Every structure is written in structure tokens, then in C-alpha cells.
Amino acid sequence: MTVESTLDTVFRIESARIIATVARIVRDVGIAEEIAQDALVAALEQWPETGVPDRPGAWLTATAKHRAVDLVRRRETYARKLAEAGRELREEAYDAEPSGPGDIDDDVLRLVFTTCHPVLSAEARTALTLRLLGGLRTDEIARAFLVPEPTVAARITRAKRTLARSGVEFEVPYGQDRAARLGSVLEVIYLIFNEGYAATAGDDLLRPALCEDALRLARVLAALMPKEGEVHGLVALLEIQASRTGARTGPDGQPVLLAEQNRRRWNRLLIRRGFAALGRAVEEGGATGPYALQAAIAACHARAASYEETDWRTIAALYRQLAAVAPSPVVELNRAVAVSMAEGPEAGLALVDALAAEPALDRYHLLPSVRGELLARLGRDAEARAEFERAAELTRNERERALLRRKAAG
């Protein structure tokens, strides 16, 4: 492996910790990222001659910290900054090694809450999180979400400026502030996973790299916040959902529906990890949180040896609980599907028809798709065909569009 490829791998793994450590000194995530990049350039210049250090991550962190302290020293306000930071900054300024693992973990947690601050739009939070915590380049984020690279670059730049202009503290909030901010953090990770699990647009149904990034972020968060039940609930949900990834597409990339998936291709290790995380969520009092409830639904599917053996009544009951704690037309649509499997297509169709006037579902392709399925089960083929055709027009994913058109034709 070349020095460049080694450095690329190390930096992708360690970048979040490096940026978080530096941000604690300079109190600005934008400047912290620039300093981390400077450390990367220094490594590219020095490692080919000196060799890769035994602890490359520590080398990069120490280099970045030294540059951060030098920057603070050069500022006119260094005396005031030093007085504010006190003894912690003075000791850290001369430490050639990174802080202890616990300190670094605290820094990463601060970075998570900073990049996912509600002052930013959902798009900006997602882009900034993938950039600073996921270690993705701007072009990779753009490719993942099928948007132009300048658009992603602008979002990230604006996000950094907004954080600086709004005076967002580089800290882990507590009490009600933490509860409000944690919801934003979990939402960003969930959105990243969902975009990988069922791509909004493009030629591919799945983007596994995004699922992997989201799952890694969720696992890191659970390790940093072991007493937060809903964090474990999110981990459980993503682990179990990710277990089905290998069975969700055929050899040609076409979608394979849940009823037709080969369950032997489901990843049993991820399922066991998901069950364990769900158990932790229950232990920490998060059993009734929205992510834990969704994980419990996913667990019902994972426990069933076949589609026909699925406990649809329990799933419908769990969706009813989910609708109570996190009301959403999409949740109601999913509940309608479960009810249709437990009580028959007529019962499900009544619930779906009640959602027809929901503005949030006006352009949501899964509403006519589900309605088409229920109409087909009732033998109302002409109406079902029209619904599948409408769903195909609404989706922006080419794989889903092809599947829906096959259903309409069939």
C-alpha cells in the first residue's frame, strides 16, 4: 500500500476525531476542518521521506493541535481566549500527543451535536455531518445525493458560516436542550441511512456506502451516549434494516419485494446486533421511542421464517403506538399495509382512502403504489393498473419506476 493510500484510509477513519479535537481549541468547526486538512498536507509532504508513523492517527492529531494553538497565539485576542480556556488549554497547548480516549470521545460527541444543530436546514446538517463525521469528500456527497457538487459545497460553506454567525457553542447540551438537539442528531443519521436504503432518485435502488456511513455514525453515538435508550433504538433499527440489503435487489439490480426476498440472504450477524441494541433500548427506558418502535417492527420481520409467518397483528399494533408518539401520514400508510395483511385488503384500503386528502402525500409515490396493491388483491384490476401507472410517474428512482410499470402491465 502506498503512503498516499494509507494516509487516505487513516484520514477517513480519524478525521472526525481530529476535527473535533481541534474545534475544542479554536471553537469553530470550519477553521478546525481547514487545520485538519493542513495536517493532511503536512503528512503528504513528510511521510514519503520519513515513513508512516507507528501511530498515524496520533501524528495527524498532534500536528493539527499544534497548528491550532499557533493560530490562537497569533490572534490578537489570544490573552482573552487563554483566560477563558484556563489551565486546560495551557496544558493541551504543549501536549504532543492527543488527549486520552475519553477526552477525544467527548470532543466527537460535541462535534456531532454541532454539525446537527437545528439552526441548520436538514440538507445542510446532512451534508456537514457526512463531511466532518463521515469523512466524505464534497464530490462523494454530491454523487450520493445526485446533486451538483457546487450545490453541496455551497451548503457546507453556508452551514459553517451559519454556525459561526449564530454563535453555536462547541458543547454537549444538557436537559431540555439535549433532548431537542438529540432528536436532530438522530434524524440526520436516519435520513442518511434512508437515502442509502431506498434512493430518492437515480438509476440504483440502493447506495450501500450511505447505509454503512449512517450505521457507523449510529454505533459511534451509542458508544458515546450509552444511557440514551432512543440512540440504541436507532442502532437497532439500522442494524436490522441493513441486514436485508443483500436480498433487496436481484442480479440485474432490480428491486426484490419483501414477500419475494430470499431470507437466507439476510445477514444474521446484523440481525443479532439489532436484537441486542433493541434490548439495550428497553433497558435504558427507550422502548416506546419512535426509533425503538420501528426497530421492534423490523424485528418482527426478522423473526419470521417466511413472509407468510409474519406477525402482522403485532406489527399493526406497533404502528398504532408509533402513530401516537410520532404522528405522520407515512406512518399511517405503513399501518394500513399491516392492517391489510392482518385483517384483509378491504380494511387496509379504507385506511389508505382516508389518507388521500393528505397534502404531505400528494406527490408521494408509495400512496398510489400501496393502493394499487390493495386494489389488485381485491380483483379491481383496472383501478389497480391506473394506480401503479400514477406511482410510476411520481417516483424519481428508475428501478422503482420500472418495477411499477411491470406491475401495471401485469
Side-chain angles (χ1 to χ4, degrees):
M1 184 180 287
T2 66
V3 170
E4 288 78 6
S5 59
T6 299
L7 181 56
D8 182 66
T9 300
V10 170
F11 191 75
R12 187 176 288 258
I13 295 170
E14 298 289 342
S15 60
R17 292 176 181 269
I18 297 169
I19 293 169
T21 301
V22 173
R24 176 149 55 97
I25 301 172
V26 300
R27 318 302 291 184
D28 185 305
V29 293
I31 294 174
E33 187 192 11
E34 292 175 8
I35 291 174
Q37 292 291 334
D38 287 344
L40 178 64
V41 172
L44 282 170
E45 294 172 347
Q46 297 179 38
W47 289 7
E49 296 181 6
T50 62
V52 177
D54 292 336
R55 298 172 59 203
W59 190 99
L60 288 168
T61 303
T63 300
K65 283 175 64 177
H66 291 158
R67 293 182 180 227
V69 171
D70 287 342
L71 175 64
V72 173
R73 281 178 173 153
R74 288 197 301 270
R75 289 176 175 170
E76 293 181 354
T77 56
Y78 174 68
R80 179 175 58 81
K81 292 285 186 181
L82 187 59
E84 290 173 356
R87 181 180 173 187
E88 177 187 355
L89 181 57
R90 286 200 301 273
E91 290 179 350
E92 185 177 45
Y94 299 100
D95 181 10
E97 292 296 320
S99 307
D103 292 335
I104 292 177
D105 285 347
D106 287 344
D107 289 341
V108 173
L109 189 56
R110 292 186 186 99
L111 184 60
V112 169
F113 276 93
T114 301
T115 61
C116 297
H117 196 285
V119 73
L120 303 176
S121 68
E123 295 84 0
R125 276 180 262 157
T126 300
L128 192 60
T129 300
L130 283 174
R131 172 74 176 180
L132 300 186
L133 286 159
L136 274 67
R137 300 189 308 271
T138 304
D139 62 314
E140 292 175 318
I141 300 171
R143 203 160 50 240
F145 287 92
L146 300 180
V147 295
E149 186 176 343
T151 300
V152 172
R155 285 176 185 172
I156 293 172
T157 300
R158 282 197 302 269
K160 294 174 187 175
R161 288 175 180 167
T162 300
L163 291 175
R165 186 172 59 248
S166 303
V168 173
E169 292 291 333
F170 186 68
E171 63 181 6
V172 177
Y174 293 93
Q176 292 182 342
D177 287 343
R178 172 180 282 198
R181 295 266 289 278
L182 181 59
S184 176
V185 171
L186 298 179
E187 179 190 27
V188 167
I189 296 175
Y190 185 53
L191 287 173
I192 293 170
F193 182 88
N194 273 355
E195 185 59 31
Y197 192 72
T200 305
D203 297 329
D204 298 316
L205 180 71
L206 304 176
R207 298 202 183 97
L210 279 181
C211 291
E212 292 166 8
D213 280 320
L215 190 49
R216 181 174 62 80
L217 289 172
R219 289 169 179 165
V220 168
L221 190 62
L224 297 174
M225 307 182 71
K227 295 299 182 181
E228 293 286 350
E230 188 65 336
V231 175
H232 294 292
L234 178 65
V235 173
L237 173 61
L238 302 194
E239 297 276 14
I240 298 172
Q241 293 286 74
S243 73
R244 302 204 294 257
T245 300
R248 294 189 66 236
T249 55
D252 58 354
Q254 293 296 332
V256 178
L257 300 177
L258 181 62
E260 301 164 1
Q261 287 175 17
N262 179 356
R263 299 190 175 213
R264 288 175 295 181
R265 295 188 64 195
W266 289 5
N267 188 315
R268 307 314 299 185
L269 173 61
L270 291 179
I271 290 174
R272 288 195 296 273
R273 290 178 64 108
F275 287 170
L278 186 55
R280 286 293 305 276
V282 173
E283 290 173 9
E284 301 299 340
T288 58
Y291 295 109
L293 286 171
Q294 290 179 77
I297 292 168
C300 286
H301 290 294
R303 291 190 187 101
S306 67
Y307 186 76
E308 292 70 26
E309 296 176 57
T310 305
D311 186 355
W312 289 107
R313 290 191 179 278
T314 296
I315 291 174
L318 287 167
Y319 270 121
R320 192 175 297 111
Q321 285 183 258
L322 181 60
V325 299
S328 156
V330 174
V331 171
E332 290 296 343
L333 182 61
N334 288 328
R335 184 170 78 88
V337 173
V339 168
S340 77
M341 299 303 296
E343 303 175 19
E346 298 93 340
L349 184 60
L351 293 175
V352 171
D353 286 344
L355 296 170
E358 282 286 347
L361 299 181
D362 184 50
R363 304 291 297 172
Y364 188 54
H365 73 283
L366 290 182
L367 177 63
S369 175
V370 168
R371 195 167 189 277
E373 294 283 359
L374 298 178
L375 289 168
R377 286 170 59 189
L378 290 169
R380 294 161 60 176
D381 292 349
E383 295 172 85
R385 183 179 303 111
E387 293 293 339
F388 286 135
E389 288 173 348
R390 171 168 164 73
E393 292 173 2
L394 290 175
T395 185
R396 291 187 290 146
N397 185 281
E398 292 301 327
R399 296 291 186 179
E400 282 190 309
R401 181 176 290 118
L403 173 64
L404 290 164
R405 283 175 174 163
R406 285 199 300 274
K407 286 185 176 184

